[in-house]
Amino acid sequence: MEHNAFASLAVLRLSFPCRLLPSACCPDKDLVVLVSRLGGRDRLTLWKMQGTKKWDVEVGRDESSVESVSALAWSPCGQTIAVSHEFSRVTLHSVQDGRIERSLTIPPSSHDSEQRRITGSWWFSSCRDLPRSTIPDIFKRNEINTGSALSILKVLPLLDSLREEDHKLTATDLFAFQGTQTGAALKPSTPEVINDWPSLLPDPFLASLCPPILTDEQGKTAKETQVNSSAEDENSLLVIGDDNGKLHCFLDGSYYLGAISTFPSTVPTAVFKDPKRPLFLLHPQTLASDFSSVTFTPLSVDLPLLASHRIRDFARLSSAARELMWYIMRVIEDLREVWLGSNSLTGAREVGPKWIQLLETRLRDQFGQREPSAILELTGLLVAGLCSEGLSDFFSSSEQMSERSLQKWESTVTDALVKLRDFSTLRLVPALQRLHIILEEVRGWSLIPQFVLFGFNTDDITQCLFSLKQAIFIAHLLAFQARGELGSFKHFLSFLRYEIALAGNSPDTRSPPEHDILEVNHYLMSGLKTSQIDRWFTGPAPQFDPGDLGLPRHNTDTNKVLEEALEQAHTALQDPSQTSWQPKVSTADKSHLDRNLWVLVHDLAVRCQRVFVHVSKATARSAIVSGSGGATPFQVEASETVPSGACQFIRERVAQRNEPNNHLQHLAIHLTSEMRPLFCLTRTPYAKCAAGVPLHIDVIVMECSIAGHEPGHITDVHLCNAEFFDDETLVIVYKVRGTDGPMFAATVHYSALEYQTQSEEYVNGPARKDMIANVLQRLNEGHLLLKPIPIKRRRQLTACRDGSVSLAVNGRVGRRVVCILDGDGTTMDILDMEGDEDMEAEDESEMDSTGA
């Protein structure tokens, strides 16, 4: 046994108590995460293994949040940390600075409205092997099939980006001294329908959009914050377990695949994923039981839809649809704000009514008109040239009639109408058309029998397409209306300038008018006081169909539409008089049609989101949950052989072998039986056990003692904690029994131990407690031999001396570190398991070069 065999990387003296979770070590970087609670809120702190702090962030949602961290998981590339909060929320933090990249919300079940507690999280790498064919696939470019909706979007020009103001400037921000601002927490601007839309990592180029332009607190343009993405994370699965026996899966750590139900009121103690196929193996544990009552036979969860590329292809469609819908909603919001105004912005629509109100107030207060009508006064002036005394006084002496006021009025309304015209034509309509292309492909998927497991509702998709056609028509109509009103407004301002000049000069110097009387009258009647553009943002949702516009009414069934077209062509050929290049379109007045584009788009977003949410959960709906008869959890009765509390802890690991379906499950069990502490290791063929093959278990039982320096000298020890380091080594932390320290960290080469085989006749129950009882029975009968723990290497700990300890290990080649936190949570030893005491500490610059 080697003494002081491990090099000490650092000893952290923490200023406040922290928690060390088993998955705290980064898999491919020399980093470790600690969780602390300060002021009733949890904080994450990332430390370098050499003992320096990298960042420290709070994980609460807001000031009133009392959520606590329940589990951690690292992405396969090591660039993202998935932090599971206590109730139905997961935040993904960047390893660079700790900022939240995205937040995942686990939707509540329709059958169970109670909030469920998250108990564990695991992030598995991709399981789908790339096709190895000697013939290249010439119809696919970057996972996009030629002729698909995404390939069509890829060749289209990118739509202009929208400016996203993360911090809107106020007068206080501009003129107050630094440090005097009283800032409030900004509420997230993304609506709930977009937040709950299933999507992969945001990719504007996938939807043929330019990346958004961000502005910082000073109003300057800032670079877009890119979300960490890596080829290692592609097709990875983030799995979240709750206390109701459900597994929530997220493709790429973002796209929600639904909730897989195993057994109610159970907790998965650990989840293992087959590296070659989408198969999970887990052990359910009832909430009221202890470690030893977990089922010995695993439960298998097969996800057949993940075995092909179809789920990811649809996820890309859903992601592109989400980007387009969010773009459309922001364009509509921008147009609505510039026209009707908001809490912080005066809309262009309000300028005309305010001018009318000022004119009527002067006519009433200064010239004695009881019920003045500004429109009547202006109409009389326009048609007959009759200018009343009050109107003439307003033109000649009012501040609102100065050239500066007129220019401001002109710029405000003109900019708004130009924006309505251009945004409708260049942004809104193209985005709606792109979304129509995607939904047309989704509708095609719904008609293919091979996609029946997805659960498409063709009627809902058809209704979304119908609403999209309405939105495209109304958006075109908005551009037409804005163009017409802009022309009338310019003639109206020319009329005002002509009358103002006429009121201030003699009739001999009158210049010829440049305005059109009909255009000015049109603006007086339907633009100055009440505008038709208001109907695009107010009123009920549109209910018209193509038949109301004089267009032929076609059936939504594709086959029937084709039959109707062929029948019309056949009739036209038989009767040449019916042949016409232009269809007969009704000239009836369509002004009564509702055209509230604001409501229509929001209703469309809800319906589209419902379609994609339902289909995204097809993976969970098609999951096959199975196991042998012993995989059903139940409350195991207390046994006299294994008294309550005899099992101190159980650690488990599945060692992957090169042979398929030949993985080994290892258990490390610490028992206290008849005042005799024992340490038991078991080894079981995991895949065969899951398939229901008769069990045989390899067991070795050891006393909690170690061999001394001299032959035959045995030292009794108190086992504080243990954790599997890799597929060959186990790390234990112990101290000599009956003393107050010091503590030691040691390794046990568990894969090379001599196990004794127990066949299925000695395993009589479904729970681990039954297996433990049989092992103790055979031990008492003398069929099993007791041996001391065969320690290979050890080191005395510097910081930890007494009490319980927490362990986090990283057995990856090139890392191989162990973090040991004492019971108080204020001191942590970090050991290099490959370095010796005499080896020099690793240079910190080398760690920085690894990407930490």
Side-chain angles (χ1 to χ4, degrees), residues 641-826:
T641 310
V642 185
S644 178
C647 182
Q648 301 299 314
F649 62 78
I650 295 181
R651 302 290 181 259
E652 54 187 301
R653 179 182 179 88
V654 178
Q656 301 179 11
R657 300 303 182 190
N658 295 329
E659 300 84 0
N661 300 328
N662 194 26
H663 311 302
L664 296 177
Q665 185 203 31
H666 293 272
L667 296 179
I669 307 171
H670 183 208
L671 299 171
T672 55
S673 175
E674 299 178 357
M675 303 303 293
R676 181 177 57 173
L678 300 175
F679 190 47
C680 177
L681 299 178
T682 68
R683 183 177 62 189
T684 309
Y686 204 34
K688 293 181 180 180
C689 183
V693 177
L695 298 176
H696 69 277
I697 307 171
D698 298 332
V699 179
I700 182 172
V701 183
M702 297 168 285
E703 292 182 317
C704 289
S705 60
I706 61 174
H709 301 289
E710 300 178 359
H713 184 267
I714 302 298
T715 302
D716 293 334
V717 298
H718 172 68
L719 198 59
C720 302
N721 207 337
E723 192 64 62
F724 286 99
F725 189 68
D726 55 21
D727 289 347
E728 297 179 351
T729 306
L730 177 74
V731 176
I732 64 172
V733 178
Y734 69 90
K735 66 178 181 178
V736 178
R737 193 182 305 170
T739 65
D740 294 335
M743 286 187 176
F744 296 87
T747 57
V748 178
H749 199 213
Y750 69 91
S751 63
L753 298 179
E754 296 181 0
Y755 290 82
Q756 293 179 266
T757 301
Q758 284 195 149
S759 60
E760 61 273 12
E761 60 183 284
Y762 295 102
V763 184
N764 300 322
R768 291 173 179 172
K769 179 176 290 190
D770 301 294
M771 183 271 297
I772 295 173
N774 290 324
V775 168
L776 295 179
Q777 180 180 357
R778 297 199 67 195
L779 179 64
N780 294 332
E781 294 174 355
H783 298 293
L784 295 177
L785 300 178
L786 281 177
K787 299 178 181 180
I789 301 177
I791 293 177
K792 293 296 183 182
R793 307 171 71 192
R794 76 169 185 177
R795 176 186 174 87
Q796 180 177 330
L797 300 180
T798 304
C800 304
R801 298 191 58 84
D802 197 8
S804 60
V805 295
S806 301
L807 272 178
V809 303
N810 184 5
R812 188 166 180 170
V813 176
R815 300 297 162 189
R816 305 186 70 79
V817 294
V818 172
C819 300
I820 306 171
L821 183 68
D822 66 353
D824 296 332
T826 56

Side-chain angles (χ1 to χ4, degrees), residues 214-225:
L214 303 179
T215 55
D216 56 15
E217 296 184 359
Q218 286 75 31
K220 299 179 180 180
T221 301
K223 294 183 178 180
E224 182 191 6
T225 303

